[in-house]
Amino acid sequence: QVPFPLTDLRSPEIYKTIGNDNGQFSVLILPLGFNSGNVALGKSPIGSLQYFQVIHKHPSFRGTVARLPAATFDYYRNLPLIKYLIDPSKTPDEEDLDSIQAYATIKNQLNVGHIIIHKNKYEGETYKKVQEVLERTLPLEFISEDEKTISYKLK
């Protein structure tokens, strides 16, 4: 028996698929989280999720970056739908559920092309609530699901 937990860095297959797409887009990896060393926002740090960027080769909204100004965190904390994804224990507000505002944020402002939900990184079945909000709010094309992930392409 190992005395402390180990990190499994085997990449879900979807990241290899996304890595083969030469399009110009970002990947939204959930649960969402940012950390500056002084401030944590959302579910952070989960270094393995940041590591998968090496496989998918596109910009991603998650990570640890030292000494970010507070305004950077405020920016994400106020974006429609993103603010809910940062803390899905709260109820999404009207702005989060407004399809037009959510799409404008996710697709037009953040240039998201793919969304990956890591089911095993949420507490309990919170990922199902996140999945429901995303499917209700955004035009998504279901790509795949395995024991750890659910993936979508944003239309």
Side-chain angles (χ1 to χ4, degrees):
Q1 176 125 307
V2 179
F4 54 88
L6 301 175
T7 302
D8 181 1
L9 291 177
R10 290 175 290 181
S11 174
E13 202 57 40
I14 186 61
Y15 288 121
K16 295 172 190 163
T17 302
I18 294 170
N20 290 327
D21 185 335
N22 293 325
Q24 300 297 314
F25 57 84
S26 62
V27 180
L28 180 60
I29 299 173
L30 302 173
L32 193 56
F34 308 95
N35 186 323
S36 72
N38 296 324
V39 176
L41 184 61
K43 185 115 173 140
S44 178
I46 302 176
S48 59
L49 299 184
Q50 188 173 351
Y51 167 76
F52 293 141
Q53 189 174 13
V54 171
I55 312 296
H56 68 68
K57 304 177 211 161
H58 293 277
S60 184
F61 296 96
R62 134 161 308 289
T64 301
V65 179
R67 297 176 295 282
L68 284 173
T72 302
F73 291 95
D74 292 340
Y75 173 79
Y76 288 105
R77 205 180 266 125
N78 293 312
L79 287 176
L81 189 56
I82 293 293
K83 66 182 184 291
Y84 165 72
L85 295 173
I86 288 169
D87 186 1
S89 68
K90 295 182 178 173
T91 302
D93 63 23
E94 278 185 38
E95 191 178 63
D96 296 325
L97 297 174
D98 182 310
S99 295
I100 293 170
Q101 286 188 63
Y103 189 79
T105 299
I106 301 297
K107 182 68 173 179
N108 300 337
Q109 195 169 343
L110 302 178
N111 192 32
V112 171
H114 287 268
I115 299 173
I116 312 299
I117 300 172
H118 283 264
K119 301 184 288 188
N120 62 327
K121 300 297 184 184
Y122 283 95
E123 293 180 23
E125 294 192 342
T126 304
Y127 77 88
K128 288 182 178 180
K129 184 178 164 192
V130 169
Q131 180 183 17
E132 182 182 309
V133 169
L134 289 173
E135 288 178 352
R136 176 179 162 190
T137 309
L138 296 173
L140 300 172
E141 175 187 341
F142 174 82
I143 301 296
S144 65
E145 182 171 3
D146 59 32
E147 62 189 35
K148 294 182 181 178
T149 63
I150 304 168
S151 60
Y152 298 94
K153 186 170 187 171
L154 193 61
K155 295 178 185 176

